[in-house]
């Protein structure tokens, strides 16, 4: 027995020693957990607080910024890009994610931002990334194409409202294998709260832009920021979705800003009443917006918010929103708050549900704004004005926010007729027709009249006969006896009612894509607005912006209305103005005044009341224009105290321009003369916009300066 016990002890003692050594070794974690512990050690976890001090920053040139641009943020895109171009950073490229419909406008803003940046060998490349739809997945999609090790993901505000130190932290961030930024959210779905910016580094469930990530974390295209944070946290043992750090940011209440609050509130798919719930709590009207989805609402957000700021109430229905959407969208300013309803039906026959929704509206709407699409074409109203906007025009409706309710209610009353006068300049005619084709008409029907002289050449006749006009009726006229320019213009149009307006265009004119918006906005303001009873002396609206005055007896003189207004202490130099000079290079004439001109001209040419060579207006150059219709219109204006509205945009940006083609009144076409008359057109992507006006709207009638025939300010009684 003793020998057996000894034998067992001989093998048991080594076994116990091996067990002692094994149990004495440091505990080994699984490989994936060890990686997290190594990372945690580099950040120095301490009571759930992370420290980033001492962690190296990313290498220069290894960081790309991804910035979404929307229809509302385009207005400030140039300034948003400024920190990336003016501040030394580790960024090598900036990708601007932009809907295709806004690419041309975004391209202009990017070009302006790059040109204004100081020259440097380290300026990042800025490029556009087309993406239609929700900008968040667009940001992630662009991020996969960035080919850099690190990414700075942004929303449309860029680095706005952040402290200088926080900006520096993001432009050259530390190498942390987690999303890192100043705005984080903690908690769980339904119980989210903000992690306020702090110099100390805090754990977060997910981050909201701006934040930095290693590009390896973008494994797929995420629909929203919480979804990305969840994907990050599920890949980690510590379940962190990001770390929050801010350096001196003053706004600790950032999560109450609507764009951020929308990502923190519980998911709401259907909400009933806008703010305020009762439209009669405001002095304005009730506007109903019927739009397919949240992306369309974002496009018109500036218009919607402008209406709310003006005291109107809003109800919004998204009738084909198939995604889960939040009840309060991001807005272009912090004062705009409204709710909307959303239907998830995507079938073709959705009108019955739209009708039921309208029928449940507690108060009758004043205006129904919708897209010109099959789903809402059956929408009619005995009381409300229904405005149907083509989808392509939707990004350019901001100017409509300047209209009063009275002007909205008369939307369909004025009818524009475009009258083209042409003879034998086919290339000029094609240029004019091309500019009319690319213009925006916002769903209105516009009649087109093309008037050819008897001597029109074959190519001109062919162009007129083959031109396709999709915005209304087309009428063509050709003289059988040569009449000359005076009858060609005067007889090209005659009003059929007091709501008929004639736009007269000779073929050497070219128009801006926004010319119709300027006309519509002006006619509604001064012919149908609250002051319409005071504007009887207004005979028309010029598209052309005067750059010189031509009626001085000694000849043309350079003219700049902004300088004139500054010299005469007029407060806002950007105001449009009234002038007694009738414009012949793109202008609308009003029906009463054009009929009156016909009667005046017939009497004048008959010589019943005075000889044809009688001087009516003293000391003006037009007295020598024996074959010009303008000579006689100037006489009528002078005798009766009439005025025309002129635009006054920065840099002489105009709604029409004249190409000074050789013709009845132009015998030679020098470069000097061309520069004197040709103006830059207001393009859809121009930095100068239609609402670059005092208070972003057309001034009151009594506030418009008045100029006489030679360009001097006068005190004309406008009542």
């Amino acid at each position: 027995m003793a020998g057996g016990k000894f034998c067992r002890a001989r093998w048991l003692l080594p076994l116990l020693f091996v067990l002692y050594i094994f149990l004495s070794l440091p505990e080994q974690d699984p490989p994936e957990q060890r990686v997290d512990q190594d990372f945690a050690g580099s950040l120095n976890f301490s009571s759930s607080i992370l420290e980033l001090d001492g962690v190296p920053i990313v290498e220069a040139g290894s960081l790309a910024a991804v910035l979404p641009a929307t229809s509302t943020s385009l207005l400030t895109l140039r300034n948003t890009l400024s920190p990336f171009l003016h501040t030394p950073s580790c960024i090598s490229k900036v990708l601007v994610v932009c809907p295709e419909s806004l690419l041309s406008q975004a391209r202009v803003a990017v070009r302006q931002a790059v040109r204004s940046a100081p020259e440097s060998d380290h300026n990042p490349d800025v490029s556009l990334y087309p993406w239609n739809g929700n900008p968040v997945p667009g940001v992630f999609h662009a991020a996969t194409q960035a080919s850099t090790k690190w990414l700075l993901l942004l929303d449309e505000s860029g680095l706005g409202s952040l402290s200088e130190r926080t900006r520096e932290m993001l432009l050259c961030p530390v190498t942390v294998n987690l999303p890192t930024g100043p705005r984080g959210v903690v908690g769980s779905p339904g119980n989210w709260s903000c992690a306020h910016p702090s110099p100390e580094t805090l754990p977060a469930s997910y981050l909201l832009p701006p934040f930095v990530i290693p590009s390896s974390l973008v494994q797929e295209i995420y629909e929203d920021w919480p979804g990305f944070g969840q994907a990050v946290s599920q890949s980690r043992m510590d379940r962190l979705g990001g770390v929050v750090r801010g350096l001196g940011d003053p706004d600790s209440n950032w999560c109450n800003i609507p764009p951020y609050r929308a990502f923190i509130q519980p998911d709401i798919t259907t909400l009933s009443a806008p703010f305020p719930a009762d439209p009669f709590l405001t002095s304005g009207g009730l506007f109903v917006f019927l739009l397919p989805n949240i992306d369309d609402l974002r496009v018109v957000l500036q218009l919607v918010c402008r209406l709310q700021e003006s005291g109107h109430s809003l109800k919004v229905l998204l009738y084909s929103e198939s995604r889960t959407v939040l009840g309060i969208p991001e807005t272009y300013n912090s004062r705009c708050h409204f709710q909307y309803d959303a239907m998830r039906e995507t079938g073709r026959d959705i009108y019955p549900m739209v009708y039921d929704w309208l029928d449940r509206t507690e108060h009758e709407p004043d205006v129904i704004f919708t897209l010109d699409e099959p789903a809402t074409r059956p929408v009619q109203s005995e009381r409300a004005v229904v405005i149907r906007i083509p989808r392509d025009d939707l990004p350019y409706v901001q100017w409509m926010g300047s209209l009063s309710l009275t002007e909205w209610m008369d939307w369909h009353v004025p009818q524009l007729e475009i009258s083209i006068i042409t003879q034998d300049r086919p290339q000029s005619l094609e240029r004019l027709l091309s500019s009319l084709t690319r213009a925006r008409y916002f769903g209105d029907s516009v009649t087109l009249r093309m008037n050819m002289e008897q001597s029109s050449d074959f190519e001109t006749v062919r162009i007129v006969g083959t031109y396709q006009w999709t915005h209304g009726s087309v009428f063509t006229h050709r003289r059988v006896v040569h009449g000359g320019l005076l009858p060609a213009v005067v007889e090209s149009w005659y009003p059929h009612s007091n709501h008929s307006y004639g736009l007269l265009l000779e073929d050497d004119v070219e128009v801006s894509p926004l010319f119709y918006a300027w006309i519509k906005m002006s006619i509604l303001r001064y012919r149908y607005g609250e002051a319409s009873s005071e504007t009887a002396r207004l005979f028309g609206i010029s598209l052309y912006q005067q750059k010189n005055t031509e009626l001085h007896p000694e000849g043309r003189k350079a003219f700049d209305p902004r300088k004139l207004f500054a010299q005469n202490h007029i407060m806002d130099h950007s105001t449009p103005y009234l002038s007694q000079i009738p414009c012949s290079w793109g202008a609308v004439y009003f029906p009463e005044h054009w009929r009156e001109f016909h009667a005046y001209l017939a009497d004048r040419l008959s010589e019943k009341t005075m000889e044809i060579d009688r001087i009516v207006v003293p000391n003006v150059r037009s007295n020598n224009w024996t074959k010009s219709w303008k000579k006689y219109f100037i006489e009528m204006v002078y005798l009766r105290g009439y005025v025309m509205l002129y635009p006054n945009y920065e840099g002489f940006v105009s709604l029409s321009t004249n190409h000074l083609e050789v013709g009845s009144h132009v015998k030679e076409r020098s470069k000097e003369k061309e520069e004197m008359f040709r103006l830059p057109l207001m393009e859809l992507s121009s930095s100068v916009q239609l609402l670059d006006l005092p208070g972003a709207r057309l001034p009151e009638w009594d506030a418009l300066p008045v100029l006489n025939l030679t360009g001097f300010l006068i005190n004309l009684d406008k009542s």
Side-chain angles (χ1 to χ4, degrees):
M1 288 293 295
K5 290 179 180 179
F6 179 75
C7 288
R8 285 195 295 273
R10 289 177 61 188
W11 62 262
L12 182 61
L13 286 174
L15 176 62
L16 291 174
F17 179 76
V18 170
L19 286 172
Y20 170 77
I21 295 297
F22 178 81
L23 293 174
S24 300
L25 291 173
E27 185 177 351
Q28 299 293 311
D29 293 329
E32 63 274 15
Q33 185 174 353
R34 185 185 314 123
V35 170
D36 284 334
Q37 280 198 339
D38 290 345
F39 169 51
S42 70
L43 296 181
N44 188 18
F45 274 88
S46 175
S47 301
S48 300
I49 294 179
L50 309 169
E51 297 294 344
L52 297 182
D53 295 336
V55 180
I57 64 173
V58 304
E59 295 180 3
S62 63
L63 178 65
V66 187
L67 171 71
T70 65
S71 60
T72 52
S73 70
L74 273 180
L75 299 174
T76 55
L77 179 58
R78 177 179 175 179
N79 293 333
T80 304
L81 288 170
S82 180
F84 308 104
L85 301 172
H86 290 256
T87 307
S89 70
C90 300
I91 293 177
S92 60
K93 63 179 66 176
V94 179
L95 292 175
V96 179
V97 180
C98 179
E100 290 183 0
S101 61
L102 303 178
L103 279 176
S104 60
Q105 299 177 64
R107 190 172 291 112
V108 171
V110 168
R111 189 181 300 119
Q112 291 172 340
V114 171
R115 286 177 179 173
S116 65
E119 292 187 10
S120 170
D121 295 335
H122 307 292
N123 281 348
D125 294 327
V126 183
S127 57
L128 293 173
Y129 189 90
W131 178 267
N132 294 320
N134 187 344
V136 177
V139 166
F140 283 108
H141 200 279
T144 62
Q145 310 300 313
S147 69
T148 55
K149 292 183 179 179
W150 299 89
L151 298 165
L152 171 57
L153 304 187
L154 303 144
D155 60 18
E156 55 263 39
S157 64
L159 301 178
S161 76
L162 296 176
S163 71
E164 199 63 38
R165 291 185 63 200
T166 299
R167 288 187 180 195
E168 292 174 358
M169 178 190 76
L170 293 168
L171 292 173
C172 267
V174 294
T175 54
V176 177
N177 197 32
L178 267 173
T180 306
R183 293 168 179 159
V185 178
V186 296
S188 57
N191 190 32
W192 299 117
S193 62
C194 292
H196 297 305
S198 169
E200 297 178 330
T201 308
L202 307 174
S205 302
Y206 65 90
L207 297 190
L208 294 174
F211 60 84
V212 176
I213 60 170
S215 56
S216 59
L217 290 184
V218 184
Q219 300 296 324
E220 59 182 275
I221 308 304
Y222 303 95
E223 289 296 319
D224 52 33
W225 307 116
F228 175 62
Q230 183 180 20
V232 172
S233 67
Q234 288 178 348
S235 68
R236 302 179 56 83
M237 295 295 292
D238 55 21
R239 290 296 185 258
L240 282 179
V243 290
V244 179
R245 192 188 197 195
L247 301 175
D249 289 300
D251 186 8
S252 61
N253 201 31
W254 62 268
C255 60
N256 282 327
I257 301 174
Y260 299 109
R261 184 175 64 232
F263 284 108
I264 299 168
Q265 290 184 336
D267 184 20
I268 303 170
T269 58
T270 304
L271 295 166
S272 56
F275 296 120
D278 186 346
F280 294 97
L281 293 178
T282 72
S283 59
L286 173 58
F287 285 72
V288 167
F289 282 77
L290 304 176
L291 299 168
N293 53 53
I294 189 69
D295 297 324
D296 295 312
L297 179 55
R298 288 189 178 103
V299 172
V300 300
L301 204 53
Q302 186 173 347
L303 168 61
V304 172
C305 291
R306 179 75 184 268
L307 290 172
Q308 188 184 73
E309 290 170 0
S310 299
H312 302 298
S313 297
L314 307 170
K315 283 188 73 69
V316 180
L317 173 65
L318 308 182
Y319 55 80
S320 294
E321 181 52 72
S322 59
R323 297 166 293 178
T324 299
V325 295
L326 300 166
I328 303 177
E330 65 270 26
T331 59
Y332 83 109
N333 68 47
S334 60
R335 300 184 303 276
C336 181
H337 305 285
F338 64 91
Q339 296 175 324
Y340 55 79
D341 294 342
M343 294 179 180
R344 295 193 180 190
E345 298 294 332
T346 57
R348 298 181 63 182
D349 189 19
I350 66 172
Y351 174 68
M353 287 172 289
V354 173
Y355 180 82
D356 288 343
W357 182 87
L358 284 169
D359 201 41
R360 292 196 304 270
T361 303
E362 185 178 353
H363 300 284
E364 190 84 19
D366 296 289
V367 178
I368 298 175
F369 180 104
T370 186
L371 283 180
D372 187 13
E373 293 188 341
T376 55
R377 280 183 192 142
V379 172
Q380 301 291 338
S381 174
E382 293 182 1
R383 179 181 182 275
V385 176
V386 182
I387 297 173
R388 309 176 197 277
I389 302 294
R391 177 173 290 281
D392 289 345
D393 293 355
L394 204 61
Y396 312 107
V397 300
Q398 290 89 343
W399 63 271
M400 295 166 65
S402 70
L403 301 178
S404 69
L405 181 60
T406 301
E407 293 154 19
W408 278 96
M409 298 301 288
D410 284 321
W411 177 270
H412 296 296
V413 178
Q415 300 296 314
L416 184 70
E417 298 179 66
I418 301 175
S419 184
I420 295 174
I421 300 97
T422 189
Q423 180 177 344
D424 55 2
R425 296 187 292 209
Q427 291 182 334
S428 301
L429 177 62
E430 280 195 317
R431 180 181 56 215
L432 170 59
L433 293 176
S434 176
S435 70
L436 289 170
T437 298
R438 65 192 181 98
R440 307 292 172 169
Y441 299 93
F442 304 96
D444 283 358
S445 177
V446 178
T447 299
L448 180 66
R449 297 179 178 275
M450 291 196 273
N451 303 278
M452 293 177 285
E453 183 58 89
Q454 177 269 337
S455 54
S456 293
D457 58 15
F458 175 81
E459 184 64 11
T460 296
V461 175
R462 185 195 67 78
I463 292 170
V464 170
T466 57
Y467 180 65
Q468 298 296 311
W469 177 249
T470 61
H471 301 286
S473 301
V474 180
F475 299 91
T476 58
H477 305 268
R478 186 178 183 185
R479 282 181 164 271
V480 294
V481 176
H482 185 84
L485 191 57
L486 187 153
V489 172
V490 177
E491 297 175 7
S492 69
W493 171 74
Y494 195 82
H496 62 83
S497 78
N498 282 342
H499 301 294
S500 174
Y501 298 86
L503 171 59
L504 308 185
L505 298 172
E506 295 183 37
D507 56 18
D508 59 348
V509 172
E510 184 180 5
V511 297
S512 154
L514 292 171
F515 85 90
Y516 185 77
W518 165 253
I519 292 172
K520 184 96 172 185
M521 180 172 66
S522 302
I523 288 178
L524 288 174
R525 171 58 44 84
Y526 299 119
R527 293 279 289 183
Y528 299 91
E530 288 80 357
S532 58
S533 61
E534 304 172 6
T535 61
R537 294 193 177 184
L538 184 66
F539 69 80
I541 297 163
S542 174
L543 308 184
Y544 188 81
Q545 182 159 329
Q546 291 177 305
K547 196 176 181 181
N548 57 78
T549 53
E550 58 182 351
L551 295 180
H552 294 276
E554 59 272 24
R556 296 185 183 91
K557 290 187 177 181
F559 173 73
D560 186 341
R562 294 192 168 214
K563 290 182 179 179
L564 177 67
F565 298 160
Q567 292 166 0
N568 287 272
H569 310 293
I570 292 176
M571 185 175 298
D572 198 320
H573 308 159
S574 67
T575 180
Y577 59 92
L578 303 173
S579 171
Q580 292 186 294
I581 302 173
C583 177
S584 59
W585 296 327
V588 175
Y589 287 84
F590 293 173
E592 305 96 316
H593 305 84
W594 196 252
R595 288 195 205 98
E596 187 179 356
F597 176 52
H598 266 248
Y600 175 83
L601 185 59
D603 183 77
R604 188 78 168 86
L605 295 178
S606 71
E607 299 189 85
K608 289 180 180 178
T609 56
M610 68 178 81
E611 301 80 7
I612 194 66
D613 57 356
R614 170 84 172 269
I615 293 178
V616 176
V617 186
N619 301 318
V620 291
R621 188 162 161 256
S622 58
N623 289 328
N624 301 320
W625 300 347
T626 56
K627 298 181 180 181
S628 172
W629 66 273
K630 279 178 67 175
K631 168 186 176 178
Y632 301 105
F633 206 106
I634 288 168
E635 291 180 2
M636 187 182 79
V637 165
Y638 174 78
L639 291 172
R640 296 171 187 178
Y642 291 158
V643 287
M644 171 171 266
L645 180 73
Y646 277 81
N648 180 22
Y649 290 102
E650 184 178 3
F652 293 97
V653 170
S654 184
L655 285 307
S656 71
T657 189
N658 176 265
H659 288 274
L660 205 71
E661 307 282 7
V662 173
S664 298
H665 297 310
V666 179
K667 302 307 178 185
E668 59 175 304
R669 185 187 181 193
S670 66
K671 185 176 181 181
E672 181 182 358
K673 278 190 175 181
E674 282 189 67
E675 292 177 354
M676 187 183 298
F677 292 105
R678 188 178 297 181
L679 301 177
L681 290 172
M682 183 181 293
E683 301 292 346
L684 297 175
S685 58
S686 291
S687 58
V688 176
Q689 297 294 312
L690 206 63
L691 289 182
D692 290 349
L693 300 165
R697 59 175 291 167
L698 287 169
E700 298 298 324
W701 175 248
D702 290 336
L704 292 168
V706 185
L707 279 61
N708 67 8
L709 290 169
T710 51
F712 291 96
L713 282 166
I714 57 174
N715 292 316
L716 183 70
D717 180 9
K718 293 182 285 181
S719 62

